[in-house]
Amino acid sequence: MPSDTHYAVVIAGQRQPMCCHGCEAVAQAIVAAGLTDFYRHRTAPSRRVEDLLPEPLRGLDLYDRADVQRSFVRAESEQVREAALILEGIVCAACIWLNERHVNALPGVLEFRVNYSTQRARVRWDQHQIKLSEILAAIAAIGYVAHPFDPGRQEALQKRERTSALRRLAVAGLCAMQVMMLAVGLYVGEYQGMEAWIREFLRWVCLILTVPVVAYSAQPFFTAAWRDLRRRQFGMDVPVSLAIFAAFTASVWHTWQGRGEIYYDSVSMFVFFLLTGRFLEMTARHRAGQVSEALVRMLPASACRLNAIGGEDIVPIEQLAPDDRVLVRPGETIPADGRVEEGASHVDESLLSGESLPLPRQVGEALIGGSVNVESPLVMRIEKVGAETVLSAIIRLLDRAQGEKPRLALLADRIAGGFVAALLMVAVVVFLAWWSLSDFDTAFRILLSVLVVTCPCALSLATPTAIVAATGALTQLGVLTTRGHALETLARVTHVIFDKTGTLTYGRPQVVAVEPADAWEPDHCLALAAALERGSEHPVGRALAKAAGPGIPEATELRNTPGSGVEGWIDGRRYRIGRPEFVAALCGNQWLERPDLDTASTWVALGDATGLLAWFALTDALRPGAAEAIAALQARRLAVELLSGDQPKTVAQVAGEVAIASAQGGLSPQDKLNRLQDLQRQGAIVAMIGDGVNDAPVLAAAQVSVAMGGGTQLAHATADMILLSEKLEHLVRGVDMARRTLVIVRENFAWAIGYNLVALPLAAGGWLTPWMSALGMSFSSLLVVVNALRLRQTTGGQS
């Protein structure tokens, strides 16, 4: 360093000298993140450079480098940047509130939003005022870990969380079964007599079996309760944790004293039931978090870049830059946005645009990253990469739609807040009243009875058990429910929006008409067409080959002209199939007049040197039962609309066939999203049914969404339900089941609340012992489960 340079940072009110600008920047980051205790508690300088930086801040400055940011940061303007992050350590809504309030208060942060279901955050900041590493350091300062979204890392985190939850559930279940068996013996022994040493032995065995449940399985409840209490909030975990801790402590004391009540069975049972409900919730949340991973995996891992001398270099797509030349072979996925520089082919954009047929692409025309090259090699020049591509725009649109999605919590969560606060106040009042009237042991016993008998286990099980029973019945029909709120919301739906391609239709062309010329037989014309198209990867060629059946002749000297058609020789005669002008060129440019039939179909000509031989009409065929399903939904007083990215005339024809009065075609993903949001602003509860990537934003924004079983993985990950059977009549059965499920849920809540209203006075009056309270709570939970199991037999009929 130059001798005349001086660096210093104010730490704990004192100006401290620094050796270089690097150490100065690190020290400023430590101070800004509120981690100055690092200096106060350090006893000596570290011998290793990496130890001079606190763990949460190590490596964060790498995220300020432009080459690193290129893959996950989008530049809105010269100053404003936007990035997607993953947050680790989010366990409740309070975590969301704390992070959003803390980060939004930072100078230079324009917007910071966290999606609880996916644990993803989207941040916008002014890079002239704050760096991304400083934002990440600020998040680390309040006890959370943030890093750029990485599908592989997110998958590992979710796998680790799921494994931990399964272990806790398994430990609680195994121990609860053993404790309950021993508790039966103890309860019977109280009435029929039992030798003292046997009773003491069983009590100590119950203690040993309950310790893992309390120390390991119940740890999440204690952690969440402590977090709630520190923020002066009363979540459902507070009374649960109090009951578990108090019951276990009293049981240990009574076991040590050799007298008094023990509650090991209640403790283990509470933990097991509650962990089961939490596991179901976690599974639904993990499914929602797979959306971004599915999007990223649409793109290839590498691309064939052409160098200056014409050679081919296989490089990761992260290394692609604007103005690079890339070779895309037939069947390969286009790695980024750009334009065709050499060659001509058809490109399958059905995943992005909703267009059912591949689109021709010539020199100078645009290519979208994520679409598939169907026929011939293309050389493209890259224009946009990373966060600037169309696919990245869809990702951002999807994230925004998920962030704006109505946060429909379970009915238990809407009731539990007031219930828990009232429960704790009642428990305290009852304890103090009995302590003033009697001894401490009696007051404590009645306190436990109140906490146990009114423990909101039935409330927590009321909805999940009904959802599990209903989804099990629907799965047998081929309707897979992926999120817990889907049935509850579907029961309240007022509007149903359908996509066309792949939803009401199959999403692939089929031959619907053959119009031969003169005396030619339709089957013979199909056989000639199939011979020419044999081995073709083009959807039209595959449809013709499939329609022909057996007895296809042999074609030789096949030559494919991208964007026009195929030429070949059959039995010494030259034929062409494809566009009319391509076929007409073979027969002296004769004008080939297309039959005046369905204008919404795709027409393909077949001819030889003598002239036209036949016309083939192909269209995206309607699914069987589509019209009946639409009529059934309308009979249930649901408004049905059709929104599609396909041609308006094709959309209008399909809408007429299925009797949908409101239909729009030629829509972009944003147009669909705008229409859905218009309906929602008018108070509508909307269900969206789609199958492609272009449907992903509107699927995420709808209150409830259904993806077709043959749709894209992204549609599956975004949707709340998946129609695996692809039979639209099963969607109607799903609506009926959802309405029945909501009735069962309401019955469960009525029982759970009514039970507490009756049991609470009995426990507070001292008429219920803790074991009777535990038995009553168990019976309440069992009744809720049995009532929910009735849904397994409700698979048909209108509700």
Side-chain angles (χ1 to χ4, degrees):
M1 303 300 297
S3 58
D4 58 344
T5 56
H6 302 282
Y7 303 96
V9 175
V10 177
I11 302 175
Q14 296 184 5
R15 187 176 179 85
Q16 302 290 348
M18 299 290 157
C19 62
C20 63
H21 62 83
C23 289
E24 181 186 47
V26 170
Q28 288 175 344
I30 293 174
V31 174
L35 300 175
T36 53
D37 284 347
F38 164 73
Y39 295 108
R40 187 162 57 90
H41 295 297
R42 185 181 59 176
T43 57
S46 173
R47 297 181 179 180
R48 299 188 305 165
V49 175
E50 57 268 26
D51 289 340
L52 294 177
L53 191 63
E55 182 67 28
L57 298 180
R58 293 180 188 174
L60 295 185
D61 58 330
L62 292 176
Y63 296 126
D64 294 330
R65 293 172 48 178
D67 56 336
V68 176
Q69 290 187 357
R70 187 174 61 178
S71 62
F72 69 95
V73 175
R74 183 177 72 96
E76 292 187 5
S77 63
E78 182 180 354
Q79 295 179 248
V80 179
R81 296 292 185 267
E82 181 181 22
L85 307 175
I86 298 178
L87 286 183
E88 298 181 30
I90 299 294
V91 297
C92 63
C95 299
I96 304 295
W97 174 84
L98 177 62
N99 277 275
E100 290 182 344
R101 182 174 180 178
H102 181 69
V103 177
N104 280 317
L106 297 176
V109 174
L110 306 178
E111 183 182 17
F112 183 76
R113 285 191 319 220
V114 183
N115 188 324
Y116 174 67
S117 63
T118 62
Q119 296 188 354
R120 289 189 61 185
R122 186 156 294 274
V123 58
R124 295 174 61 249
W125 74 96
D126 186 340
Q127 66 170 356
H128 290 176
Q129 297 185 45
I130 192 171
K131 296 179 180 180
L132 179 59
S133 61
E134 295 173 349
I135 298 175
L136 301 180
I139 296 173
I142 57 175
Y144 299 87
V145 178
H147 52 80
F149 172 71
D150 178 9
R153 184 168 181 177
Q154 185 182 44
E155 183 179 3
L157 291 173
Q158 291 180 350
K159 183 177 180 180
R160 185 174 61 193
E161 184 181 7
R162 181 181 177 85
T163 300
S164 176
L166 280 174
R167 287 175 179 170
R168 296 183 193 278
L169 185 60
V171 170
L174 291 173
C175 292
M177 287 188 293
Q178 305 303 319
V179 172
M180 288 300 294
M181 287 191 298
L182 296 175
V184 170
L186 289 171
Y187 291 147
V188 173
E190 290 291 331
Y191 292 95
Q192 296 184 357
M194 176 182 292
E195 295 187 26
W197 71 270
I198 296 179
R199 183 176 63 253
E200 293 300 319
F201 174 75
L202 293 180
R203 289 158 73 103
W204 279 101
V205 172
C206 288
L207 168 60
I208 294 172
L209 291 172
T210 309
V211 167
V213 177
V214 175
Y216 177 67
S217 297
Q219 182 183 358
F221 303 121
F222 294 129
T223 302
W226 175 244
R227 184 181 292 111
D228 289 339
L229 292 175
R230 285 195 306 170
R231 295 188 175 93
R232 299 180 181 179
Q233 298 176 350
F234 294 102
M236 190 176 292
D237 289 323
V238 173
V240 170
S241 299
L242 287 176
I244 293 173
F245 179 78
F248 180 72
T249 303
S251 299
V252 172
W253 175 254
H254 292 159
T255 301
W256 178 262
Q257 294 293 318
R259 57 184 174 82
E261 296 286 344
I262 59 172
Y263 318 104
Y264 298 122
D265 52 340
S266 300
V267 170
S268 57
M269 183 175 54
F270 294 160
V271 175
F272 176 71
F273 276 126
L274 293 173
L275 284 177
T276 301
R278 296 291 176 88
F279 182 78
L280 295 175
E281 179 185 353
M282 181 201 66
T283 301
R285 178 167 55 83
H286 282 185
R287 287 186 179 274
Q290 297 171 359
V291 176
S292 296
E293 180 183 358
L295 274 173
V296 173
R297 289 182 177 178
M298 282 185 59
L299 294 176
S302 60
C304 181
R305 185 171 61 188
L306 303 178
N307 55 38
I309 61 175
E312 300 179 2
D313 299 325
I314 304 299
V315 299
I317 62 170
E318 290 81 4
Q319 295 184 11
L320 294 179
D323 210 37
D324 282 348
R325 298 174 71 245
V326 174
L327 172 64
V328 184
R329 296 183 175 85
E332 292 183 348
T333 301
I334 296 171
D337 293 355
R339 293 190 178 275
V340 179
E341 193 167 82
E342 297 179 16
S345 182
H346 277 72
V347 175
D348 183 2
E349 296 182 355
S350 59
L351 298 179
L352 299 170
S353 68
E355 176 61 49
S356 57
L357 296 176
L359 302 175
R361 288 292 180 263
Q362 308 288 340
V363 173
E365 294 186 329
L367 296 173
I368 300 176
S371 53
V372 179
N373 181 20
V374 177
E375 295 173 329
S376 303
L378 292 174
V379 175
M380 66 176 295
R381 187 170 293 277
I382 301 296
E383 293 182 345
K384 296 180 180 179
V385 297
E388 303 299 325
T389 62
V390 172
L391 184 59
S392 295
I394 292 179
I395 294 176
R396 289 192 299 273
L397 189 62
L398 175 61
D399 285 343
R400 187 184 70 182
Q402 287 185 329
E404 295 173 352
K405 187 172 184 175
R407 298 181 178 180
L408 299 178
L410 296 175
L411 200 53
D413 295 331
R414 295 198 289 266
I415 296 176
F419 176 84
V420 170
L423 166 63
L424 293 177
M425 289 190 296
V426 168
V428 171
V429 171
V430 169
F431 174 75
L432 294 177
W434 275 100
W435 195 6
S436 63
L437 298 175
S438 183
D439 59 286
F440 178 84
D441 290 340
T442 301
F444 183 74
R445 176 178 60 82
I446 294 176
L447 171 65
L448 287 182
S449 297
V450 171
L451 288 175
V452 170
V453 79
T454 57
C455 183
C457 292
L459 283 174
S460 64
L461 290 172
T463 300
T465 51
I467 295 297
V468 169
T471 53
L474 287 176
T475 301
Q476 296 177 354
L477 292 175
V479 182
L480 180 63
T481 304
T482 62
R483 295 184 185 173
H485 77 89
L487 290 176
E488 179 187 353
T489 311
L490 185 61
R492 300 189 177 99
V493 161
T494 60
H495 289 66
V496 180
I497 296 178
F498 283 91
D499 179 47
K500 181 190 75 69
T501 305
T503 304
L504 292 177
T505 64
Y506 280 106
R508 55 184 181 270
Q510 295 182 343
V511 178
V512 295
V514 180
E515 296 291 333
D518 300 330
W520 287 83
E521 292 291 332
D523 291 343
H524 182 57
C525 293
L526 270 176
L528 293 175
L532 295 172
E533 296 284 6
R534 178 179 290 173
S536 173
E537 291 299 321
H538 195 286
V540 171
R542 291 199 298 266
L544 289 169
K546 182 178 180 180
I552 300 176
E554 185 71 25
T556 59
E557 300 182 32
L558 291 173
R559 183 167 63 89
N560 177 39
T561 302
S564 297
V566 178
E567 177 182 309
W569 291 79
I570 302 175
D571 297 331
R573 197 169 183 176
R574 186 166 63 162
Y575 295 88
R576 280 188 177 183
I577 186 170
R579 292 178 176 269
E581 56 271 20
F582 175 70
V583 176
L586 179 62
C587 50
N589 289 320
Q590 299 179 23
W591 175 252
L592 305 182
E593 185 175 355
R594 194 181 69 182
D596 187 17
L597 296 173
D598 177 18
T599 58
S601 299
T602 300
W603 289 88
V604 177
L606 172 69
D608 60 8
T610 64
L612 175 70
L613 301 181
W615 285 98
F616 303 99
L618 296 94
T619 190
D620 191 2
L622 198 66
R623 292 183 184 273
E628 292 80 0
I630 298 300
L633 291 174
Q634 293 170 341
R636 286 156 174 78
R637 298 185 298 277
L638 298 177
V640 181
E641 294 191 13
L642 174 59
L643 304 179
S644 175
D646 214 338
Q647 302 177 19
K649 60 182 180 181
T650 304
V651 174
Q653 178 186 356
V654 171
E657 293 178 5
V658 298
I660 296 179
S662 177
Q664 300 180 49
L667 301 180
S668 67
Q670 183 65 59
D671 295 332
K672 295 180 182 181
L673 185 59
N674 291 341
R675 172 56 182 164
L676 180 136
Q677 291 174 337
D678 287 341
L679 291 173
Q680 290 175 332
R681 280 192 289 267
Q682 298 170 17
I685 300 177
V686 184
M688 174 67 193
I689 295 88
D691 79 318
V693 171
N694 63 312
D695 298 320
V698 69
L699 283 171
Q703 280 95 336
V704 63
S705 52
V706 182
M708 303 301 290
T712 65
Q713 291 297 320
L714 172 64
H716 289 176
T718 307
D720 303 314
M721 306 177 75
I722 301 175
L723 195 59
L724 297 176
S725 66
E726 298 195 337
K727 295 181 179 180
L728 294 177
E729 60 267 27
H730 289 167
L731 176 64
V732 181
R733 303 278 285 276
V735 173
D736 294 338
M737 175 64 78
R739 293 177 176 180
R740 179 60 178 161
T741 301
L742 190 58
V743 172
I744 295 294
V745 169
R746 288 171 176 169
E747 292 175 353
N748 284 348
F749 272 102
W751 163 255
I753 296 175
Y755 160 79
N756 281 293
L757 292 177
V758 173
L760 180 59
L762 295 177
W767 289 295
L768 295 180
T769 62
W771 73 265
M772 294 173 63
S773 299
L775 187 61
M777 192 279 296
S778 301
F779 177 75
S780 174
S781 300
L782 181 61
L783 186 63
V784 165
V785 173
V786 171
N787 188 44
L789 291 180
R790 293 193 297 137
L791 289 167
R792 299 177 60 182
Q793 302 175 353
T794 309
T795 57
Q798 181 175 349
S799 298

